[in-house]
Amino acid sequence: MNNAILNIAFIGNYLPRQCGIATFTTSLCESVAAAHPGISCFAGAITDIPEGYRYPDRVRFEIEEKNLDSYRRAADFLNSNNPDILCLQHEYGIFGGDDGNFILSLVRKLRMPLVTTLHTITGEPTKRQRRVLEEIAGRSSFVAVMTQKGVELLSTAYDVPLDKIRLIPHGIPEMPFIDPSFYKAQYDMADKTVLLTFGLLSPNKGIEQVIRALPEIIKSKPNTIYIVLGVTHPALIRHEGEAYRLSLQQLAAELHVEKHVLFRNRFVSADELKEFLVMADIYITPYLYEEQIVSGTLAYSYGIGNAIISTPYWHAAELLADGRGILVPFRDPAAIADAVIALASNDTERNAMRKNAFLEGRNMTWPTVARKYVELFTEARMTCSIAASPGGPLGGLFSEEEQNELPKLKLDHIRRLTDDTGMFQHAVYTVPNYTEGYCSDDNARALILMVLLASQAKEATGSKDAESEIDRLAGIYLSLLHYAYEETSGRFRNFLNFDRSWAPELPSAASEDSHGRVVWALGTCLGRCVNPGFQGAAAKLFELGLPAVSSFTSPRAWAFSIIAIHEYLRRFSGDRLVDGIREELANRLFALYKKTAAPNWPWFEPYLSYDNAKLPHALLLCGRDTGNQNMLDAGFTSLRWLMETQTSPKGHFRPIGSDRVYNKGAEQPLFDQQPLEANSSVSACLEAYRVSGDLFWHGEAQRAFRWYLGGNDLSLFVFDAASGGCHDGLHMDRLNQNEGAESTLAFQLALSEMREAEKRLLLEDTKGGEA
């Protein structure tokens, strides 16, 4: 299975906005990008001021904090750009609405896995806070927390399952272990005992507690300098200006310690911050309240190797336990003074504390944290399909009755993919991709569909023009197949460039399969089409193309050709030459089955690859048409086993994934799931129903068809009702947003066959009622 992460989006505050979460989001995004150059990373920034910020190029879009529509537009942007993972930084205060509930309008619209990092977890949340966090956690594949306390709170106070929570520490810059004296000289502090607190200033930081402790500290250590590094929190500036900083300066003056307190009122760069941290003999976080689940400043100072004194808020109590730092009571300047004096007087204890902190901090460096997040993102992609399966958090979206209701015929996307040459094989979302050109494979499928729809057009669409439109499209597809035939080789070419030149191809099983599918389309046209001009053109090509299949070695090419001959003989049952070719191909296919089949693997090959159901389908047709019971038995046995193999533990249809071939005895690939497999399974099961009359097979066809309508691992509509197209597959965590020809035709063919089957059931019920 291909689980590679190629594109990651991050949402949170982002530098140059000045706050801890902006620093965290920027550091995480840049560290992931640096450690994994093959991954494309981009960010969405929450902007709290009208003039915005001069964001770096990494920021692709902005979300206006207090504008609800901005969150919805951001969700649309993300869904359009289709990253593999979205990593959300959550803190109630950075989003608009009551307790930041505007972010819910974004996460509810997401179509990719979500991993959320929680920066605030309260022990006693309000009802609204609980609702916001629980919904975000419920919609996330995983939530990341930075402390064990966070794990405990989430599981007990918010009922988040433990297997959904991951503990990843706060990241820190990489830096060697350096003695404090290294930088003291350049700051003219060579003979000073340096105390440091850094971060955005606000009253809850408790800086005044350290200032009140300074008179006692200075008595013992007169050369002490307390550096308060950082600007006042921008939100506080907007409401109160510099009132808090001024109160601290006034307090220092009143206590006559103003010469021992150095305020650095600016938001320092990462390199400058490292210098200040290294220069500090003791780092202090005198916060006032216990309920602080994470402190980025504490993580930085610890990881860089500081000796730390702190009040016992949650993060500090956990990080500094067992002698890794010194904890003092809240609002206790005397305890702070005692701790500073003791630690500053004991070089051995202080240096041991520094060294131990530095060594343990190696697991917190940003490259290490980035690696852990990428591992988590990969796990989220792998497990998203399980979380979103029917019955899971996103399950139950579509009732079985809704999934059994057949959509109306809508040819809009087929017309969009078709020009006057043929049908383009690929699309970018719903826009034809001219670069990839056309292929005979898809135009053969398109011709089959038009022939089947000719008898359903008026009934299915209610449009008088539908028949003429189907006739027009059929003519285009048949013309391309005519152009594809190469007389010198007797083969149909497959890949046609946009300039109508044929791409060179080497003979292969794939080219045999495409040839066989063209023959199938021609046989269907001959057996069912009422347009004499189309019949004449198809007859000539069928006669030219059929002989080559006798030399083919691909079982699927045999199966396609067998189905083609079955269709042809509906009208020309006396053609002995064609009947002889069918007998030859059927015997080969049956011999292959007998050679490979085993009780635990009743199949034609020692692997399952693509369009698998066509093999038992062909045997069922041959067994019925020739009266060969052994072939019939093999067809029913192999198809039943295939449908059992394509059943999830919850009972819905789960086609064999296309990430790799499913070899006998190996692990079954679950993704990417292709619409083609549902189509071939529908078709084969309906044939089994027609042959046996057993309603079990009709039920199996319905189950396979429901895959398009939400009856799948992700409970998502693979069929696009708006365009009439079909998504190109089901990834492990989302839909493939492109709607190419193969996928769209697979759905429309399955829909056409299901409509015919429903008509037959209704007719049988009517006859049964009359009897």
Side-chain angles (χ1 to χ4, degrees):
M1 185 184 298
N2 181 10
N3 300 325
I5 300 288
L6 300 177
N7 195 355
I8 303 172
F10 296 83
I11 286 184
N13 298 348
Y14 213 90
L15 294 178
R17 181 172 175 178
Q18 296 178 359
C19 73
I21 292 180
T23 302
F24 183 95
T25 309
T26 306
S27 298
L28 177 58
C29 182
E30 296 299 330
S31 298
V32 169
H36 301 271
I39 295 177
S40 172
C41 297
F42 69 93
I46 310 298
T47 299
D48 62 336
I49 54 176
E51 61 271 24
Y53 301 93
R54 295 179 65 85
Y55 290 118
D57 292 341
R58 185 81 67 189
V59 176
R60 292 280 308 281
F61 64 97
E62 294 182 53
I63 300 173
E64 299 170 44
E65 178 187 320
K66 299 187 184 303
N67 184 338
L68 180 60
D69 284 340
S70 185
Y71 292 83
R72 294 167 178 155
R73 290 193 295 269
D76 292 338
F77 179 89
L78 288 164
N79 290 332
S80 176
N81 282 269
N82 201 28
D84 296 313
I85 288 286
L86 171 63
C87 182
L88 172 69
Q89 308 307 309
H90 179 264
E91 201 280 328
Y92 294 106
I94 70 172
F95 304 115
D98 297 327
D99 291 314
N101 65 352
F102 280 7
I103 192 62
L104 297 180
S105 65
L106 184 151
V107 301
R108 288 167 182 165
K109 295 184 68 177
L110 293 176
R111 294 201 298 260
M112 74 283 305
L114 173 65
V115 171
T116 301
T117 303
L118 299 177
H119 292 260
T120 297
I121 308 171
T122 62
E124 297 180 358
T126 65
K127 289 182 179 179
R128 190 161 49 218
Q129 287 174 336
R130 180 189 298 277
R131 182 181 66 82
V132 170
L133 194 147
E134 286 181 349
E135 181 167 350
I136 289 173
R139 293 180 179 273
S140 300
S141 297
F142 294 102
V143 288
V145 296
M146 301 178 224
T147 61
Q148 185 60 40
K149 181 69 175 181
V151 175
E152 296 169 4
L153 284 174
L154 277 183
S155 61
T156 57
Y158 298 88
D159 296 323
V160 178
L162 282 171
D163 61 4
K164 202 172 195 178
I165 306 170
R166 293 294 184 272
L167 175 56
I168 301 177
H170 194 296
I172 61 170
E174 282 195 296
M175 191 167 180
F177 189 64
I178 302 175
D179 188 88
S181 61
F182 187 85
Y183 286 115
K184 281 186 176 182
Q186 75 180 59
Y187 286 95
D188 196 25
M189 293 188 183
D191 60 342
K192 307 294 185 186
T193 297
V194 177
L195 314 179
L196 173 67
T197 297
F198 89 88
L200 298 175
L201 261 64
S202 61
N204 64 325
K205 296 297 178 68
I207 306 297
E208 65 278 4
Q209 305 300 317
V210 183
I211 293 176
R212 290 194 174 100
L214 282 176
E216 192 65 27
I217 295 171
I218 292 167
K219 290 179 183 178
S220 176
K221 299 289 181 181
N223 288 333
T224 297
I225 289 289
Y226 179 39
I227 300 175
V228 181
L229 179 64
V231 298
T232 302
H233 197 290
L236 195 64
I237 287 283
R238 287 195 291 271
H239 293 95
E240 302 178 12
E242 288 286 8
Y244 180 59
R245 183 183 298 273
L246 291 173
S247 71
L248 296 176
Q249 292 172 342
Q250 183 177 348
L251 176 63
E254 291 174 356
L255 296 174
H256 307 292
V257 295
E258 66 272 20
K259 293 182 180 180
H260 296 268
V261 183
L262 178 62
F263 289 94
R264 288 292 183 117
N265 186 11
R266 54 198 182 86
F267 194 82
V268 296
S269 68
D271 289 339
E272 196 174 4
L273 174 59
K274 291 177 185 177
E275 294 178 2
F276 276 98
L277 285 170
V278 168
M279 185 171 57
D281 294 289
I282 299 172
Y283 184 80
I284 307 177
T285 57
Y287 300 166
L288 301 181
Y289 303 103
E290 183 182 36
E291 286 198 359
Q292 179 152 346
I293 198 67
V294 63
S295 167
T297 62
L298 176 68
Y300 272 44
S301 61
Y302 183 83
I304 216 162
N306 282 129
I308 301 173
I309 296 172
S310 177
T311 51
Y313 57 91
W314 286 337
H315 191 187
E318 184 173 313
L319 191 64
L320 304 181
D322 301 323
R324 294 189 292 268
I326 296 177
L327 296 173
V328 297
F330 294 105
R331 295 178 174 84
D332 193 338
I336 293 175
D338 290 344
V340 169
I341 293 169
L343 199 55
S345 302
N346 191 332
D347 292 346
T348 301
E349 181 185 1
R350 189 175 69 256
N351 290 331
M353 191 180 293
R354 292 182 62 242
K355 183 177 180 180
N356 290 336
F358 179 83
L359 292 174
E360 291 200 27
R362 294 318 85 206
N363 291 323
M364 300 163 59
T365 62
W366 275 119
T368 301
V369 169
R371 176 179 55 78
K372 291 179 180 179
Y373 268 96
V374 172
E375 290 172 354
L376 182 59
F377 297 155
T378 302
E379 187 178 359
R381 279 205 79 200
M382 295 174 63
T383 58
C384 180
S385 60
I386 298 172
S389 63
L394 301 182
L397 297 178
F398 313 107
S399 67
E400 187 167 316
E401 290 75 14
E402 290 174 310
Q403 294 163 4
N404 283 339
E405 185 177 341
L406 298 177
K408 291 183 178 180
L409 174 65
K410 186 173 185 177
L411 296 179
D412 296 36
H413 192 53
I414 286 177
R415 282 194 291 262
R416 186 181 297 114
L417 289 175
T418 303
D419 66 0
D420 58 357
T421 297
M423 178 175 280
F424 293 102
Q425 61 175 324
H426 292 300
V428 180
Y429 288 77
T430 58
V431 178
N433 186 348
Y434 293 171
T435 305
E436 301 294 336
Y438 320 82
C439 70
S440 300
D441 245 347
D442 290 333
N443 281 269
R445 293 185 180 99
L447 178 58
I448 293 170
L449 176 63
M450 293 304 117
V451 171
L452 296 180
L453 288 180
S455 62
Q456 302 176 9
K458 286 183 179 180
E459 176 185 344
T461 65
S463 169
K464 295 180 179 179
D465 298 328
E467 280 187 286
S468 60
E469 175 65 358
I470 288 171
D471 201 57
R472 182 186 73 83
L473 293 171
I476 292 173
Y477 307 139
L478 182 56
S479 295
L480 187 141
L481 300 183
H482 185 273
Y483 184 43
Y485 183 72
E486 185 181 51
E487 291 188 11
T488 55
S489 65
R491 298 283 293 274
F492 292 100
R493 292 165 291 193
N494 194 19
F495 297 110
L496 180 65
N497 298 318
F498 183 55
D499 63 3
R500 298 187 179 182
S501 63
W502 288 100
E505 298 174 63
L506 295 174
S508 65
S511 65
E512 290 182 0
D513 290 355
S514 65
H515 184 106
R517 194 171 278 109
V518 172
V519 171
W520 171 17
L522 297 171
T524 303
C525 187
L526 283 169
R528 297 179 183 241
C529 186
V530 296
N531 185 315
F534 291 172
Q535 284 183 20
K540 179 180 178 181
L541 287 174
F542 186 79
E543 183 179 355
L544 291 170
L546 183 62
V549 303
S550 295
S551 64
F552 289 171
T553 59
S554 166
R556 281 158 188 78
W558 301 343
F560 299 152
S561 301
I562 289 169
I563 297 171
I565 293 170
H566 168 80
E567 293 290 338
Y568 171 84
L569 292 176
R570 288 162 63 103
R571 180 170 285 172
F572 305 103
S573 58
D575 192 326
R576 295 178 59 204
L577 176 63
V578 171
D579 195 34
I581 295 175
R582 175 178 65 175
E583 183 179 357
E584 176 189 358
L585 296 177
N587 286 336
R588 285 190 205 171
L589 190 61
F590 188 38
L592 188 66
Y593 175 81
K594 289 188 292 183
K595 177 183 177 182
T596 309
N600 65 339
W601 189 271
W603 194 245
F604 304 81
E605 299 161 311
Y607 54 83
L608 291 168
S609 56
Y610 89 106
D611 223 354
N612 296 297
K614 280 291 176 277
L615 303 183
H617 186 169
L619 270 195
L620 289 171
L621 287 175
C622 289
R624 181 184 63 182
D625 293 347
T626 63
N628 189 322
Q629 188 61 45
N630 290 330
M631 283 188 183
L632 275 176
D633 292 343
F636 282 122
T637 299
S638 55
L639 181 59
R640 186 180 293 271
W641 174 81
L642 177 64
M643 294 304 292
E644 290 172 354
T645 303
Q646 296 184 128
T647 300
S648 76
K650 293 183 179 295
H652 58 264
F653 182 74
R654 176 188 280 169
I656 304 300
S658 64
D659 278 351
R660 55 180 168 79
V661 169
Y662 177 23
N663 289 304
K664 180 180 179 181
E667 182 181 358
Q668 180 176 335
L670 303 183
F671 297 95
D672 295 339
Q673 297 175 16
Q674 299 295 306
L676 179 65
E677 301 307 317
N679 170 212
S680 63
S681 296
V682 166
S683 188
C685 288
L686 289 178
E687 191 59 53
Y689 166 62
R690 287 189 289 268
V691 172
S692 67
D694 187 346
L695 283 171
F696 164 79
W697 292 111
H698 188 275
E700 287 295 274
Q702 283 186 313
R703 185 169 66 87
F705 187 77
R706 283 199 295 271
W707 180 86
Y708 296 107
L709 307 181
N712 53 54
D713 282 330
L714 301 188
S715 292
L716 295 176
F717 260 64
V718 186
F719 162 58
D720 183 352
S723 69
C726 181
H727 293 278
D728 277 353
L730 201 64
H731 298 316
M732 69 179 71
D733 52 4
R734 81 195 78 171
L735 293 168
N736 184 320
Q737 294 300 316
N738 298 328
E739 298 179 15
E742 178 185 292
S743 303
T744 296
L745 291 166
F747 169 77
Q748 294 290 356
L749 283 165
L751 175 61
S752 174
E753 292 193 64
M754 287 300 296
R755 284 193 175 279
E756 285 298 314
E758 294 298 317
K759 284 169 59 179
R760 172 174 174 160
L761 268 181
L762 182 60
L763 183 62
E764 290 175 352
D765 289 344
T766 302
K767 288 181 178 179
E770 292 173 352

